């Protein structure tokens, strides 16, 4: 097995585990009808945050999942980097989905610049690890 195939399979497995944990947590909390915990999801599933959640589910899991099932990233590592960056971008979106509604704020220029700066910092660290 090639190194690209190993990395692709690892990223695919981590994506599956991640969505499984997220979905299971939602189902357990929603099914248990725990008022404080359900309120957490209610804040994040109404208004524009509901759209962000749908975008996150489709763009952060389903599209990369389908791409990682193909043979293209398994054969050549250069096809794996764009999907890894894509997944990282959606992890930042997921982090914003968790944090910003608790602050009672929407997404403003400060939040966008903060997450963009964080993403650029990680990209810079990828290029120059020392």
């Amino acid at each position: 097995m090639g190194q690209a195939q190993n990395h692709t399979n690892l990223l695919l497995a981590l994506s599956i585990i991640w969505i499984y944990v997220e979905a299971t947590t939602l189902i357990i909390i929603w099914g248990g009808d725990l008022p404080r915990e359900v309120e957490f999801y209610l804040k994040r599933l109404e208004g524009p945050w509901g759209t962000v959640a749908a975008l996150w589910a489709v763009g952060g899991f389903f599209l990369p999942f389908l791409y990682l099932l193909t043979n293209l990233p398994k054969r050549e590592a250069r096809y794996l980097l764009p999907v890894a960056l894509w997944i990282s971008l959606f992890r930042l979106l997921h982090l914003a989905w968790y944090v910003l509604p608790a602050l009672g704020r929407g997404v403003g220029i400060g939040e966008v610049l903060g997450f963009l700066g964080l993403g650029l910092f990680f990209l810079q660290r990828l290029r120059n690890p020392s």
Side-chain angles (χ1 to χ4, degrees):
M1 235 192 265
Q3 194 172 19
Q5 186 171 3
N6 289 337
H7 289 142
T8 302
N9 290 337
L10 179 64
L11 190 57
L12 183 61
L14 290 174
S15 294
I16 291 170
I17 290 169
W18 175 71
I19 199 70
Y20 173 78
V21 168
E22 290 293 328
T24 307
T25 303
L26 173 65
I27 291 168
I28 290 171
I29 288 173
W30 201 268
D33 199 21
L34 306 170
R36 285 186 69 178
E37 285 79 6
V38 169
E39 182 182 338
F40 173 87
Y41 284 104
L42 286 177
K43 274 186 179 178
R44 287 155 181 84
L45 293 175
E46 61 188 22
W49 292 113
T51 306
V52 171
L55 178 69
W56 161 73
V58 171
F61 174 70
F62 288 112
L63 293 177
F65 175 76
L66 293 174
Y67 179 75
L68 289 170
L69 287 178
T70 66
N71 284 331
L72 195 59
K74 292 178 182 178
R75 289 186 182 156
E76 293 186 47
R78 65 185 171 124
Y79 294 113
L80 186 58
L81 181 61
V83 75
L85 292 175
W86 178 267
I87 290 172
S88 298
L89 175 72
F90 274 89
R91 294 295 187 260
L92 287 174
L93 178 67
H94 186 240
L95 180 63
W97 183 80
Y98 262 110
V99 173
L100 295 178
L103 298 175
R105 299 167 47 173
V107 178
I109 190 72
E111 288 80 12
V112 171
L113 290 176
F115 282 108
L116 184 63
L118 188 61
L120 291 174
F121 172 75
F122 284 119
L123 282 176
Q124 187 271 338
R125 296 298 293 173
L126 280 174
R127 290 181 136 187
N128 187 11
S130 58

